[in-house]
Amino acid sequence: QVQLVESGGGLVQAGGSLRLSCAASGRAFSRYAMGWFRQAPGKEREFVATISCSGGRIWYADSVKGRFTISRNNVKNTVYLQMNSLKPEDTAVYYCVADSACTSGSDATDYDYWGQGTQVTVSS
């Protein structure tokens, strides 16, 4: 069982930056692919980014490519999402996810564990 706890959300002006963190419990963290999804009010859940267990393979949604950076620290059992040049359309609840496979993709059903989410609000 893996528990995921997100932090770092908040209110920021357009063009600003935020860094989300996700702390994972359990000793198997370094064997899990990790990722981030988001869901805005009235919209479907959306893939944001994923990183393989070793950190060697990373994918981003086109909507965040070049602005967001996912990374992980397997010693600290933590995955990060650095968000720069934020836009109002980035406003959403951001969820940290874990897949027991080493590499994962953009399909939400592939992920076995989900955090409770952290709110990110970008004002115009």
Side-chain angles (χ1 to χ4, degrees), residues 41-115:
K43 295 189 176 181
E44 293 187 355
R45 187 168 47 192
E46 177 187 21
F47 167 75
V48 176
T50 186
I51 184 168
S52 63
C53 60
S54 66
R57 302 185 73 177
I58 291 174
W59 288 272
Y60 296 100
D62 288 342
S63 58
V64 306
K65 201 172 295 182
R67 300 187 297 122
F68 290 11
T69 302
I70 189 171
S71 61
R72 66 189 295 160
N73 185 322
N74 285 348
V75 173
K76 295 184 177 180
N77 280 16
T78 302
V79 63
Y80 306 97
L81 186 68
Q82 177 67 43
M83 305 186 294
N84 298 329
S85 301
L86 282 161
K87 305 175 181 180
E89 51 263 45
D90 293 318
T91 295
V93 176
Y94 283 71
Y95 297 92
C96 177
V97 295
D99 184 345
S100 55
C102 182
T103 302
S104 195
S106 60
D107 188 343
T109 62
D110 289 338
Y111 292 89
D112 305 295
Y113 303 100
W114 290 70

Side-chain angles (χ1 to χ4, degrees), residues 32-45:
Y32 283 66
M34 301 296 296
W36 292 91
F37 282 75
R38 67 186 182 185
Q39 188 165 22
K43 295 189 176 181
E44 293 187 355
R45 187 168 47 192

